[in-house]
Amino acid sequence: MIKNKIVLITGGNGQIGAELAKKIIDYNAKVVVVDKNKKLNNSLKKFKKNKNFMHIVADVSKINEIDLSIKKTYDKFGRLDAIVHSAYPKSEAWGTKFENLKKKYLNEDLNNQLGGAILLSQRALRFFKSQGHGNLIHISSIQGTSAPKFEHYSGTSMVSPIEYSAIKAGIIAITKYLAKYCKNSNIKVNSVSPGGILDNQPASFLEKYKKSCNDKGMLEVSDLVETIIFLISDHSRYINGQNIIIDDGWSL
Ligand SMILES: NC(=O)c1ccc[n+]([C@@H]2O[C@H](COP(=O)([O-])OP(=O)(O)OC[C@H]3O[C@@H](n4cnc5c(N)ncnc54)[C@H](O)[C@@H]3O)[C@@H](O)[C@H]2O)c1
């Protein structure tokens, strides 16, 4: 479905990025994992010498490092078909309750997560325009499309941050804006909004969360990466400016 595509993933060492990178290799496409973490995700180590794989250590909150990552990709593969922005920079106060938020950390997270996605888009689209085609995929969340189900969190120390909801709604807004902004450029911009992903959450949370879903409840990354693959592929050529929710019915 995506054979020979060249895909750059920011945050490619992360939970979603690494699973997506593996899937892209499985499909005989080429993947560039860009992450500020030098240590390659364990599941990707086996690809170190694979000709379809490249690992770039870079901080995508820095414009020059985004541009350099794009250039290195182009220099190695001669093209860059799609960028999936999956980097997830968090301040040290990430996960603070609404009542306790501090301006410094709030600004840092808004700036790095939403501002970072806007500037990443600026650099990606600038390159795509010069190349004559491109495909940008952002990762939003169900927290960007619906209010949190606060009742799921009671009895746990988990918090669904208000700024996360604002950032993720913002990601959907910039996706639509940019898709339309790129009219006549042979560029598409879409986002996906995954539901919660299993990651050792407390059993009480998982149980309540599941009751809001149709079948499975919290998802595994493998439940959502094929949707991103579809967006990378030409089968979605005329899907533009859309946000695809993958949440087992949580938001219904
Ligand atoms: N995990 C979930 O439950 C879930 C659900 C819905 C949406 N999402 C969204 O998916 C995206 C990815 O989430 P994840 O769970 O894979 O996160 P993660 O924390 O597992 O991975 C994020 C990766 O980004 C890298 N990173 C952070 N700042 C960076 C920077 N400045 N430059 C380069 N790399 C940087 C980290 O090193 C890490 O490898 C995020 O936007 C997140 O909001 C996640």
Side-chain angles (χ1 to χ4, degrees):
M1 184 149 76
I2 60 164
K3 195 169 175 212
N4 293 329
K5 293 270 187 213
I6 297 147
V7 185
L8 183 156
I9 308 174
T10 71
N13 265 334
Q15 205 186 5
I16 294 179
E19 185 72 24
L20 179 63
K22 272 194 292 173
K23 190 54 81 179
I24 290 170
I25 300 263
D26 283 353
Y27 275 106
N28 285 317
K30 301 170 188 4
V31 71
V32 179
V33 161
V34 177
D35 204 292
K36 72 174 186 191
N37 187 352
K38 288 204 275 287
K39 200 171 160 278
L40 195 57
N41 185 299
N42 281 337
S43 67
L44 298 177
K45 284 186 177 153
K46 61 179 178 233
F47 300 123
K48 264 185 174 170
K49 293 199 171 129
N50 188 313
K51 64 181 182 357
N52 288 340
F53 179 83
M54 178 156 73
H55 177 208
I56 298 175
V57 180
D59 179 348
V60 297
S61 68
K62 299 187 175 132
I63 295 292
N64 62 327
E65 298 199 18
I66 301 173
D67 286 346
L68 192 57
S69 302
I70 291 174
K71 182 176 183 310
K72 282 182 178 168
T73 304
Y74 188 81
D75 288 349
K76 181 172 167 80
F77 293 119
R79 218 173 64 231
L80 172 52
D81 300 310
I83 295 180
V84 182
H85 182 46
S86 192
Y88 188 11
K90 291 163 242 176
S91 75
E92 64 181 71
W94 185 246
T96 298
K97 274 178 74 177
F98 169 59
E99 289 78 3
N100 302 329
L101 280 174
K102 298 267 187 315
K103 189 172 174 182
K104 175 175 188 276
Y105 297 112
L106 175 63
N107 284 349
E108 185 178 327
D109 285 314
L110 291 171
N111 184 39
N112 283 339
Q113 292 188 32
L114 185 53
I118 292 173
L119 289 174
L120 181 286
S121 302
Q122 182 200 64
R123 309 321 289 171
L125 297 176
R126 179 173 174 266
F127 168 77
F128 287 154
K129 280 191 180 161
S130 72
Q131 178 181 243
H133 75 278
N135 180 355
L136 175 61
I137 300 166
H138 280 292
I139 318 278
S140 179
S141 159
I142 48 170
Q143 304 301 343
T145 60
S146 306
K149 299 193 195 298
F150 295 109
E151 62 279 17
H152 293 175
Y153 297 80
S154 65
T156 78
S157 59
M158 295 167 69
V159 168
S160 186
I162 188 168
E163 64 276 30
Y164 191 65
S165 295
I167 289 160
K168 292 308 187 187
I171 294 292
I172 296 168
I174 67 165
T175 295
K176 291 180 200 295
Y177 180 112
L178 293 169
K180 198 157 178 183
Y181 197 73
C182 289
K183 188 167 175 167
N184 293 327
S185 310
N186 202 19
I187 292 169
K188 59 181 186 172
V189 186
N190 291 290
S191 61
V192 293
S193 282
I197 295 169
L198 287 162
D199 192 18
N200 297 314
Q201 291 87 355
S204 71
F205 176 83
L206 295 177
E207 247 168 64
K208 288 184 224 162
Y209 185 102
K210 188 170 179 201
K211 287 195 181 129
S212 294
C213 298
N214 273 21
D215 292 300
K216 179 165 182 169
M218 297 281 282
L219 302 176
E220 277 144 299
V221 184
S222 54
D223 295 320
L224 61 101
V225 288
E226 293 284 0
T227 304
I228 303 176
I229 296 287
F230 168 68
L231 286 175
I232 293 169
S233 80
D234 292 337
H235 294 299
S236 58
R237 181 172 299 155
Y238 297 111
I239 297 181
N240 209 341
Q242 301 305 308
N243 175 56
I244 302 182
I245 297 174
I246 312 143
D247 70 349
D248 187 27
W250 178 94
S251 53
L252 293 175

